[in-house]
Amino acid sequence: MGKLPRESRSWGEKCGVVGVFAPRESEPARLAFFALYALQHRGQESAGICTSDGSGLRNLTGMGLVNQVFNERDLQKLRGTLAIGHTRYSTTGASRAGNAQPFVVSSGTELGGLALAHNGNIVNVGAIRTRVQALGGQPKTATDSELAAHLVARTPGATWRARMEAALPLLEGAFSLTMLTRDRLWAVRDPWGIRPLALGRLPGGWIVASETCALDTVGAELMREIEPGELISIGPDGVETSRPWADNPKPRAACSFEFIYFARPDSLVDGQLVYATRERMGEALALEHPVDADFVMPVPDSATPAAIGYARAARIPYREGLVKNRYIGRTFIQPSQAQRETGVGLKFNPLPEVLRGQRIVLVDDSIVRGTTTPRIVAMLRRAGAREVHLRICAPPITHACHLGVDTAPEDTLIANQHSVAEIRALTGADSLGFLSLDGLNRAISLDEASLCNACFHGRYPMPIEGRLAKLALEVGASRD
Ligand code: AMP
């Protein structure tokens, strides 16, 4: 396994997927576009939409934000009654245009082509690659998602349903997928239910999306979340459902980081409003790590509900001491460490009038590599804060994620290398408190057995093949 220099590895967030079936709408591509727009926070590197008009698939992908990739003319060209879409941040494979999704692959039969959009990470890629090669599939990229598409398209079966039901159970890992065949929309959620996926009703059809906020954005009514291990197929006859893992069910493993950081606060995940779970994380933090202070403030925006919860439980006023430039993407979208460091300054500006002479509780969602936090603490001190008490809504992140969060290498996670006391010193805070695992689980209202908390303790829901580094696939591919 070759290693690239650390700075060249991007580290970011997961992807967003959508699927639209709208026979009476003239423009499923337009609905997919607006749904992707609502899922922009899940991936800012590339975007794509594939449509079908019953005869063939049209695919358009590009690098950048959703509204940089598509213009009015593109949407008009993407004709059809079916569409799937994707926003990507690389979890496997380097950042490049050819890796943008959806992927369109051929079945090699009269069934036609298959388009696939993937949120998650497949962990048994070696086995899947061997199988795909044996079946005659020829992946063009080094991504796990394209391998999954070839696996489904090439697995023998008279119908698409037969192919999917035979192929999908071979995949191990995290996958919320939307797929398109000539005349049907498909969606599946891995049997562990790691990543979210929801089903909504449109006036003339159906929509599937990673998060319910995308359904709200296009005026769809939430029907329900797709269940772990459920495959749904949508056509003119409505929604059909099947359970390819019925004989081999898996334990639930919902990603707790969706609640802590990734999902939008206005989304429902596992039936819970993410905003409310974050408020509860803040309340629990106040009970676990009380401190005497003048006010509580968040690192905006992801920690805002938690800071509100902390302030309420601690009976300390809530104020805002940092203003965020909303037009700068998340710090992580920048590829180099040097750029990331400048990124923090570009992103936040402190309010000295508010901060001067004050003892503050600063609430943030997580500390990952520990790049952002010390800079923010220093910025607050320069603006006059007298004491900065750092409170974090997640336990220390000690292990890499292999299931769809594009983590930094394990040895760059600050809590993998340092104790809490050392992290406090490195951040320059007066005190530091992390939410306990128990407190987190209670705030999410799921028990440890139903959550994937592997980044906090290293117990993954399934074996991770060779504990692959992100670019292992990429390096392997160049040798082929
Ligand atoms: P750092 O400790 O400097 O690595 O950055 C941690 C901050 O980045 C957190 O406060 C989050 O707001 C944000 N963050 C956490 N996880 C991720 C991720 N996987 N991708 C992008 N940003 C993240």
Side-chain angles (χ1 to χ4, degrees):
M1 186 193 309
K3 277 198 169 175
L4 290 190
R6 185 157 291 160
E7 322 67 74
S8 70
R9 299 178 197 165
S10 62
W11 195 90
E13 49 223 80
K14 302 165 291 195
C15 306
V17 296
V18 304
V20 179
F21 172 81
R24 286 196 290 276
E25 298 275 351
S26 55
E27 297 167 316
R30 190 171 297 271
L31 289 169
F33 171 87
F34 283 110
L36 288 179
Y37 203 58
L39 298 177
Q40 187 73 80
H41 62 289
R42 297 185 71 88
Q44 297 149 353
E45 180 180 288
S46 68
I49 294 176
C50 181
T51 58
S52 174
D53 60 3
S55 58
L57 304 175
R58 291 186 176 82
N59 197 26
L60 188 80
T61 61
M63 299 301 283
L65 301 176
V66 178
N67 67 358
Q68 293 170 323
V69 173
F70 299 99
N71 61 32
E72 185 60 44
R73 220 151 20 111
D74 297 328
L75 293 180
Q76 282 165 11
K77 276 194 244 154
L78 285 166
R79 284 192 306 276
T81 55
L82 299 160
I84 60 169
H86 190 262
T87 59
R88 173 173 203 264
Y89 203 106
S90 55
T91 48
T92 66
S95 158
R96 65 163 79 122
N99 287 343
Q101 300 190 32
F103 284 113
V104 177
V105 301
S106 163
S107 66
T109 71
E110 72 288 350
L111 287 175
L114 172 83
L116 177 145
H118 174 205
N119 170 209
N121 206 23
I122 309 294
V123 299
N124 61 336
V125 278
I128 300 299
R129 186 202 295 264
T130 306
R131 184 134 188 146
V132 164
Q133 283 165 347
L135 292 168
Q138 291 175 333
K140 294 191 185 59
T141 72
T143 65
D144 58 336
S145 312
E146 194 198 356
L147 276 180
H150 282 285
L151 180 75
V152 172
R154 293 280 165 171
T155 293
T159 61
W160 277 116
R161 176 175 296 286
R163 287 179 184 223
M164 289 184 195
E165 288 181 356
L168 292 169
L170 303 176
L171 299 174
E172 297 261 320
F175 46 99
S176 283
L177 306 176
T178 54
M179 293 175 282
L180 206 60
T181 54
R182 235 176 352 231
D183 48 15
R184 292 193 85 79
L185 168 67
W186 305 79
V188 66
R189 194 164 173 212
D190 67 67
W192 296 269
I194 297 168
R195 303 277 149 238
L197 195 61
L199 173 68
R201 192 91 172 91
L202 288 163
W206 299 90
I207 178 165
V208 175
S210 290
E211 288 184 38
T212 62
C213 65
L215 273 43
D216 301 334
T217 299
V218 299
E221 182 194 348
L222 171 66
M223 300 307 289
R224 61 184 177 83
E225 290 174 66
I226 294 174
E227 286 173 24
E230 182 181 9
L231 169 66
I232 68 168
S233 161
I234 303 177
D237 43 343
V239 180
E240 285 172 15
T241 179
S242 67
R243 291 175 196 280
W245 290 268
D247 297 339
N248 188 17
K250 307 287 186 192
R252 194 63 222 286
C255 168
S256 55
F257 224 65
E258 291 281 348
F259 293 95
I260 295 165
Y261 175 74
F262 283 112
R264 251 173 58 164
D266 52 336
S267 286
L268 284 169
V269 177
D270 256 294
Q272 305 183 64
L273 185 65
V274 172
Y275 184 92
T277 64
R278 290 185 186 161
E279 278 189 323
R280 290 198 293 271
M281 289 173 204
E283 287 165 3
L285 257 180
L287 298 180
E288 289 184 11
H289 299 286
V291 62
D292 203 16
D294 298 311
F295 68 85
V296 181
M297 60 169 274
V299 177
D301 295 322
S302 43
T304 300
I308 291 171
Y310 191 110
R312 190 166 54 215
R315 298 173 187 276
I316 299 177
Y318 169 88
R319 296 193 77 182
E320 292 182 25
L322 281 172
V323 174
K324 181 178 173 186
N325 179 342
R326 294 195 188 346
Y327 301 94
I328 289 186
R330 289 184 170 186
T331 323
F332 279 73
I333 70 170
Q334 293 152 1
S336 75
Q337 183 74 7
Q339 274 176 303
R340 261 194 302 265
E341 286 176 16
T342 359
V344 178
L346 292 174
K347 196 163 159 182
F348 299 111
N349 204 22
L351 290 163
E353 305 267 307
V354 174
L355 296 162
R356 203 166 294 126
Q358 301 292 297
R359 298 167 305 157
I360 60 177
V361 177
L362 176 67
V363 180
D364 203 357
D365 54 87
S366 56
I367 298 182
V368 186
R369 292 156 315 179
T371 311
T372 320
T373 321
R375 302 182 72 85
I376 292 178
V377 172
M379 187 183 273
L380 297 177
R381 288 205 193 279
R382 275 198 306 275
R386 180 149 61 97
E387 290 174 18
V388 180
H389 300 278
L390 197 55
R391 297 293 180 266
I392 306 294
C393 296
I397 298 176
T398 50
H399 290 76
C401 175
H402 299 278
L403 294 166
V405 182
D406 190 10
T407 48
E410 208 147 273
D411 61 356
T412 66
L413 300 172
I414 193 168
N416 181 274
Q417 303 286 313
H418 297 282
S419 67
V420 173
E422 287 167 347
I423 299 173
R424 187 211 56 78
L426 289 166
T427 58
D430 293 281
S431 72
L432 168 63
F434 287 94
L435 184 59
S436 68
L437 194 58
D438 230 40
L440 173 69
N441 293 349
R442 270 203 303 273
I444 300 176
S445 311
L446 285 173
D447 57 11
E448 175 67 19
S450 312
L451 284 165
C452 178
N453 279 325
C455 53
F456 306 124
H457 50 45
R459 293 193 293 279
Y460 298 90
M462 75 284 295
I464 309 293
E465 193 182 86
R467 290 273 181 99
L468 286 177
K470 170 186 168 187
L471 288 145
L473 269 173
E474 196 77 3
V475 172
S478 61
R479 277 200 228 105
D480 287 345

